[in-house]
Amino acid sequence: MIETIADRIKKRMDELGIKQVHLINKKVASKGTISLWLSGGATPSGDRLFKLAKELGVDANWILGGDGDTSSRIDSS
């Protein structure tokens, strides 16, 4: 099965134990926008993509690229 952007975001959120509310509180995007990302109805882009990548501790290219390579992840500390 091909992993979608939404799948990667959800998977990483699960790994970190974070919920949508964490991303909302960190001002990554609005509840509606994050819901669209998680449902596959929209793709993060621009500044929001980089904010999301930072909060998930991954490179933006990992979110968009879908290679699943863990070496794409960055240290979130």
Side-chain angles (χ1 to χ4, degrees):
M1 182 172 121
I2 298 174
E3 192 176 55
T4 66
I5 291 170
D7 292 335
R8 284 187 294 283
I9 294 170
K10 287 186 260 186
K11 179 180 175 182
R12 186 62 178 153
M13 287 174 67
D14 286 344
E15 289 172 356
L16 296 173
I18 63 173
K19 305 286 183 196
Q20 287 186 44
V21 70
H22 172 84
L23 299 176
I24 295 164
N25 290 341
K26 292 290 188 170
K27 303 198 183 319
V28 171
S30 69
K31 180 180 179 179
T33 298
I34 294 168
S35 292
L36 282 172
W37 294 343
L38 295 176
S39 69
T43 300
S45 61
D47 189 45
R48 290 180 179 163
L49 172 61
F50 293 104
K51 286 180 180 179
L52 176 63
K54 180 180 178 185
E55 287 305 314
L56 297 181
V58 297
D59 187 276
N61 290 322
W62 180 83
I63 294 172
L64 298 176
D67 62 11
D69 187 329
T70 57
S71 66
S72 297
R73 296 187 185 167
I74 58 173
D75 183 5
S76 60
S77 56

